[in-house]
Amino acid sequence: MTLRARLSQPDILIAPGVYDGLTAAIATDAGFEALYLSGAAVAYTRLGRPDIGLSTASEMADTMALIADRTDLPVIMDADTGFGNALNARRTILTYERAGAAAVQIEDQTYPKRCGHLSDKSLISADEMAGKIAAMADARRQDTLIIARTDAIAVEGIDAAIDRAGRYIDAGADVLFIEAPRNQAELGRIANTFKGQVPLLANMVEGGATPISSATTLQDLGFDIVIFPGGIVRSLARTAHDYYHSLKQAGSNTPFADRMYDFDGLNAVLGTPDMLAMGKRFDGTS
């Protein structure tokens, strides 16, 4: 099923964040229907740096291609600001399509951008952003969805964010993403304004500006997609912190054994037995 077809169904789509082939495979096995690849997750894991616009388009595309090798699920892919002007945005959507993205998300921050839940963001004009969206819609060669994100709430207020979002729908956005609503009232206003026009996306960031809500609550409000983009990185970072400190203190992994896969357990997750069996089918020894 395509992502567009899935969004026509009544149940909200939950898209967990992934950042490589391993997390994509594990999330797929958990039964999700779509995945989300954020620039933040790539910056956190590949660079060990914060989400302040350091991830490049080529790093994102390389990561997406590796994820596409491990899952057939549709992946929503973060394109930040399109990495430049409208011409850059055109090239970005084509690059992301080739890498395997099912949807491309672009935002109206200036470049370099920063995490939508950090302070001191700045915006390009609504006209410039509308031009980027239109350029991407004109360039795409597949049924790749364009997700338009506005960060205007933190910069210009909720009224401006609503106005900008309407402009972006008119420019050709397939999905709307108003970043960092500050309370349930703002979430409700977004849904009441736009539900039925295009699918609406909500972003759940642990410790961010938006109160964490369940998928059921967001569906009842009128949202169609909920992403949890950085939860896996925060979870694994905390686990890595605890693991390394345990190893340093104990001098072995024994105290941590019940919190980790052993050799055979990880190979089962990776599909090692199946891959070795496949190899025998084709190497002439079977």
Side-chain angles (χ1 to χ4, degrees):
M1 180 184 298
T2 67
L3 184 58
R4 189 183 297 276
R6 172 58 182 83
L7 291 177
S8 69
Q9 297 183 352
D11 292 341
I12 192 169
L13 177 65
I14 305 173
V18 299
Y19 62 84
D20 63 3
L22 177 61
T23 52
I26 294 172
T28 300
D29 290 343
F32 290 99
E33 299 175 85
L35 307 174
Y36 184 86
L37 174 61
S38 73
V42 171
Y44 297 155
T45 58
R46 291 190 65 170
L47 310 180
R49 296 296 185 184
D51 181 21
I52 52 174
L54 299 176
S55 302
T56 66
S58 58
E59 288 169 337
M60 293 294 295
D62 289 345
T63 304
M64 178 66 243
L66 293 172
I67 288 171
D69 283 343
R70 291 295 283 120
T71 183
D72 292 327
L73 292 182
V75 178
I76 299 168
M77 193 173 174
D78 185 3
D80 286 349
T81 65
F83 302 98
N85 62 16
L87 293 178
N88 298 108
R90 287 177 64 92
R91 186 177 182 211
T92 296
I93 194 169
L94 293 173
T95 301
Y96 279 22
E97 280 185 335
R98 288 195 299 271
V104 177
Q105 173 194 307
I106 185 170
E107 67 200 55
D108 57 6
Q109 284 195 55
T110 56
Y111 185 78
K113 55 75 56 94
R114 59 176 59 200
C115 172
H117 292 257
L118 290 174
S119 58
D120 299 324
K121 297 182 289 186
S122 59
L123 308 178
I124 61 175
S125 70
D127 286 340
E128 183 178 354
M129 177 63 172
K132 288 187 184 184
I133 295 167
M136 294 172 73
D138 180 68
R140 60 185 166 185
R141 296 171 180 169
Q142 303 171 24
D143 189 22
T144 307
L145 301 184
I146 297 171
I147 301 176
R149 165 177 149 179
T150 179
D151 285 70
I153 288 179
V155 181
E156 300 175 344
I158 183 67
D159 291 339
I162 295 291
D163 290 342
R164 280 177 173 260
R167 290 283 308 278
Y168 302 162
I169 294 173
D170 292 340
D174 301 295
V175 177
L176 191 59
F177 173 9
I178 299 181
E179 175 66 300
R182 295 162 292 195
N183 48 54
Q184 288 288 327
E186 289 186 346
L187 283 166
R189 181 176 174 190
I190 291 165
N192 289 335
T193 303
F194 294 109
K195 63 183 176 183
Q197 297 185 46
V198 294
L200 302 177
L201 182 150
N203 182 20
M204 296 291 103
V205 175
E206 301 81 5
T210 304
I212 297 293
S213 301
S214 71
T216 300
T217 297
L218 292 165
Q219 177 177 308
D220 290 344
L221 285 172
F223 286 88
D224 305 278
I225 309 171
V226 56
I227 60 173
F228 294 84
I232 184 60
V233 182
R234 293 182 182 89
S235 176
L236 292 178
R238 176 60 185 269
T239 299
H241 173 277
D242 293 347
Y243 166 77
Y244 288 124
H245 281 75
S246 174
L247 177 59
K248 181 66 169 62
Q249 181 176 12
S252 84
N253 289 331
T254 301
F256 212 81
D258 62 345
R259 298 181 59 189
M260 58 192 294
Y261 286 118
D262 65 9
F263 182 80
D264 290 335
L266 181 58
N267 276 306
V269 171
L270 296 172
T272 304
D274 291 339
M275 292 201 74
L276 293 177
M278 183 188 301
K280 288 183 178 181
R281 285 179 53 205
F282 296 108
D283 65 7
T285 62
S286 178

